[in-house]
């Protein structure tokens, strides 16, 4: 269960790490983050952190997208932000950490491993395809089985819900 009743009120048990936020109001990772920060999902889970490996890197820190990302982030100072999962705070006591991985395919296996091994994620939602090769995907499956991590892979054929989310975000 995402929440548990404690002293007559509901307490959130889930904390989410979004890995690969991307460009605000454009990227799928940002769309996931936006949804998590707003009702109804904000009632079920806390966003424990954002991992943005590109915009916080030397290669990406001076790009237009990085500037938009930093501007957005300045209004959300309470959310931990890092270039890698190893730099996130530990899982909060009594919480279950889950990860949303929305990075380039070439980076997905590395970010998946870091989410499991460094960030303590016990469940992961990944954008398709999940890995660059079947061999790499098999290694992720083995890691998930070994660590008892639940994995869901999104196979959205169209971007209807992100487009609606982005339209909503533009109005805010």
């Amino acid at each position: 269960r995402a929440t548990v009743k404690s002293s007559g009120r509901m307490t959130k048990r889930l904390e989410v790490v979004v890995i690969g936020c991307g460009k605000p109001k454009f990227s799928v990772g940002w769309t996931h983050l936006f949804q998590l920060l707003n009702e109804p999902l904000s009632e079920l889970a806390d966003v424990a952190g954002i991992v943005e490996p590109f915009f916080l890197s030397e290669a990406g820190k001076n790009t237009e997208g990085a500037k938009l990302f930093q501007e957005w982030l300045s209004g959300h100072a309470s959310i931990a932000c890092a270039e890698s999962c190893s730099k996130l705070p530990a899982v909060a006591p009594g919480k279950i950490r889950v990860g949303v991985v929305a990075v380039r395919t070439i980076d997905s296996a590395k970010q998946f491993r870091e989410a499991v091994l460094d960030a303590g994620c016990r469940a992961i939602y990944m954008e398709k395809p999940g890995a660059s090769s079947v061999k790499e995907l098999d290694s992720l499956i083995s890691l998930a089985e070994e660590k008892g991590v639940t994995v869901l892979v999104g196979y959205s054929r169209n971007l209807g819900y992100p487009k609606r989310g982005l339209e909503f975000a533009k109005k805010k």
Side-chain angles (χ1 to χ4, degrees), residues 99-130:
V100 174
V101 179
V103 296
R104 300 176 314 159
T105 301
I106 197 165
D107 298 324
S108 59
K110 176 182 185 278
Q111 296 304 325
F112 179 93
R113 284 186 195 90
E114 286 187 10
V116 172
L117 299 173
D118 297 336
C121 293
R122 293 184 41 203
I124 295 181
Y125 173 89
M126 291 184 79
E127 288 294 339
K128 67 178 179 176

Side-chain angles (χ1 to χ4, degrees), residues 45-126:
D46 291 316
V47 175
I50 299 168
V51 175
E52 181 44 60
F54 181 66
F55 290 148
L56 296 177
S57 73
E58 284 301 313
K61 71 179 185 180
N62 292 318
T63 63
E64 179 186 335
K67 291 172 187 161
L68 292 170
F69 175 72
Q70 290 293 346
E71 182 180 299
W72 179 87
L73 194 58
S74 69
H76 297 83
S78 65
I79 301 173
C81 187
E83 66 274 6
S84 73
C85 288
S86 64
K87 295 186 178 178
L88 288 173
V91 179
K95 299 281 186 169
I96 297 169
R97 182 172 284 178
V98 300
V100 174
V101 179
V103 296
R104 300 176 314 159
T105 301
I106 197 165
D107 298 324
S108 59
K110 176 182 185 278
Q111 296 304 325
F112 179 93
R113 284 186 195 90
E114 286 187 10
V116 172
L117 299 173
D118 297 336
C121 293
R122 293 184 41 203
I124 295 181
Y125 173 89
M126 291 184 79

Side-chain angles (χ1 to χ4, degrees), residues 28 32 125 127-128 153-162:
V28 171
H32 289 301
Y125 173 89
E127 288 294 339
K128 67 178 179 176
V153 179
Y155 283 90
S156 303
R157 269 195 84 177
N158 63 51
L159 294 176
Y161 82 90

